[in-house]
Amino acid sequence: MRLFAFASLIALASAAPHEQIDPRTSNLAEWGTALTKLGSWLQGFSPAPQSIINPNTLSGDENKSIYEILKADDNYSKYIKVIEANDEVVRRLKDNSMKLTVFAPSNDAFPQKDHELKEAFYAHFGEGDHDKKRDEIFKLFLYEIALYHQFPGEFDTSRLAHNSTFATQLRADHGSMGSELRRAKVESQLLPPRITVNTYASVTVSNIKAKNGIIHRIDGVLVPPGDIMQLVFFYPSRFSISASALLKVNLEDELEYYGDNRNWHHRDDKDKDKEHGRTITHRGDKGRFRGYPASTFFLPTNDAWNKLPEELVRFLFGVGGEDVLKKIMQFHIVPDYVLHTEWVRHIKSDNKDKQHRLHTRDEDEDLGFELDQKFPTLIGQDVPVHIKKTRSMIPGSNQYNWEFKVHGIDVSIYDMPALNGALHVVNDVLCPRHSNGRNENQNDEDWTEWKEWLRKWHHDQ
């Protein structure tokens, strides 16, 4: 398992310290898991109070491009440097034939001194790295950050209230997520008016109109999240028991996905994982990547584990219970699917009808829907998922409400985007005793009666 190398205001998650980095094989999207205001992201998706949208929104200039508006405003001078690090990004923001929504970080979202970001990035490299090589990778890193701040299409604050996740302009071109556009989580609140992106970056000034789209000013830098396993480690006070369980039964590889230039043995098609029918290593256009390119993980909190009978927990984490613990954790992982509340992608499906793309754009007047479907977990046993989206009954509100259940259990925090899929938080350990799922009280009862069925269930799997 990789360790995070935190430096200054940026955390760079990639290879072990002082390991040589190859820009062709390194996963740039994993490196930037923290910039200014990352603390709230790391602290378990429970961010500090967010900024309220400034009611005195700027009118913008519909005769100017997004780039021209940002360039002329000193509040975005540092973000402009990120943009201008790549000519392609500048071209996109000048192109009046494109329609974009840009979340533009103000200068306060960046380190106070321009060189601090670059120095923090360079601090990750070992001795002997050449400046030219580091400069090249740093520019690629800024390129991915720039694209992750852009949504294709025009979304004012009213339309941002429609969906829970939106596609960004950053494509998962490392072999993950079926090479789809990476997504960002948007949360909208009516009173007081508030919009946050990926739980920590707040919109402070909204609906700045340009000829080719809309700008929203934010108070944090959006860094493409790392893989699912990295998100699990972000908040040990809430998820340490699940993290320990994954490591104990060697399941971390099912939730990781990262570039690696080390000489890993590459399995051919005949040497697939016997249990899950997949190759451990993926060769993509950008090099070799290790781990699982797409998964959805329902992550139990520490409180969920503490609900279980104490004797059961001792058995699962003690000698003799490891195999049972592994199958329970596998029941929380849906491989090959990226499952968000409004967007489901099966990366192994060639039939677009089976990909279940659910209202990923907002052209429809009525965006409500209901989904009841079973998804295969890592142990082969299906887990039922219920998702219902309804429009708010508050007069004049453009917001929607979500009901999300997995195996009969409410999902408490949903749609956390990751490099290789999606993460959802549950306050109960899912009990696989009944195939159709049960509510929270029945789930607790089944775990209380674990001696009556758990060993037989494990034997039958």
Side-chain angles (χ1 to χ4, degrees), residues 9 14 21 108 140 143 154 156 181 189 203 221 247 277 286 294-295 300 309 312 324 360 368 372 379 392 396 442 446:
L9 295 174
S14 58
I21 305 296
D108 292 340
L140 290 174
Y143 174 70
E154 289 184 286
D156 59 16
L181 295 174
Q189 178 178 305
V203 173
V221 178
L247 294 175
K286 298 297 181 70
S295 293
L312 171 59
V324 182
T360 59
D372 285 286
I379 57 173
S392 172
Q442 293 168 329
D446 286 338

Side-chain angles (χ1 to χ4, degrees), residues 132-198:
K132 182 178 180 180
K133 175 181 174 182
R134 295 190 297 185
D135 286 342
E136 178 184 357
I137 300 175
F138 184 64
K139 287 182 179 179
L140 290 174
F141 172 67
L142 295 180
Y143 174 70
E144 292 206 350
I145 288 181
L147 291 186
Y148 196 67
H149 285 77
Q150 303 172 22
F151 291 5
E154 289 184 286
F155 300 100
D156 59 16
T157 51
S158 175
R159 298 183 72 193
L160 287 174
H162 289 179
N163 280 8
S164 176
T165 66
F166 291 80
T168 71
Q169 287 283 72
L170 177 61
R171 187 167 298 280
D173 59 353
H174 309 287
S176 65
M177 289 182 54
S179 298
E180 294 281 357
L181 295 174
R182 297 193 61 183
R183 304 188 73 78
K185 178 178 175 67
V186 176
E187 297 171 281
S188 178
Q189 178 178 305
L190 184 61
L191 293 174
R194 180 176 295 149
I195 292 177
T196 58
V197 185
N198 281 359

Side-chain angles (χ1 to χ4, degrees), residues 8 14 19 26 38 76 108 135 139 156 166 176 186 203 224 228 239 253 265 275 302 346 366 420 449:
S8 184
S14 58
E19 182 180 346
S26 296
L38 178 68
Y76 306 110
D108 292 340
D135 286 342
K139 287 182 179 179
D156 59 16
F166 291 80
S176 65
V186 176
V203 173
I228 296 173
F239 307 125
D253 188 59
H265 169 62
E275 187 175 1
N302 288 350
H346 183 203
D366 183 5
N420 59 337
E449 299 169 352

Side-chain angles (χ1 to χ4, degrees), residues 357-400:
R357 289 184 172 90
L358 301 175
H359 301 293
T360 59
R361 301 296 293 273
D362 298 85
E363 288 82 6
D364 298 335
E365 291 183 4
D366 183 5
L367 300 180
F369 67 87
E370 189 167 1
L371 172 71
D372 285 286
Q373 184 174 330
K374 291 185 176 181
F375 293 89
T377 65
L378 273 178
I379 57 173
Q381 181 176 340
D382 290 347
V383 61
V385 169
H386 168 80
I387 302 173
K388 185 176 182 180
K389 178 182 178 182
T390 56
R391 186 156 189 163
S392 172
M393 300 299 291
I394 300 175
S397 172
N398 292 307
Q399 293 186 311
Y400 283 77

Side-chain angles (χ1 to χ4, degrees), residues 201-234:
S202 298
V203 173
T204 56
V205 180
S206 63
N207 300 335
I208 305 170
K209 295 181 180 180
K211 190 172 184 178
N212 58 338
I214 295 175
I215 302 168
H216 303 289
R217 183 187 298 175
I218 55 176
D219 61 1
V221 178
L222 301 176
V223 183
D227 60 40
I228 296 173
M229 198 64 197
Q230 291 178 14
L231 299 185
V232 173
F233 279 120
F234 276 175

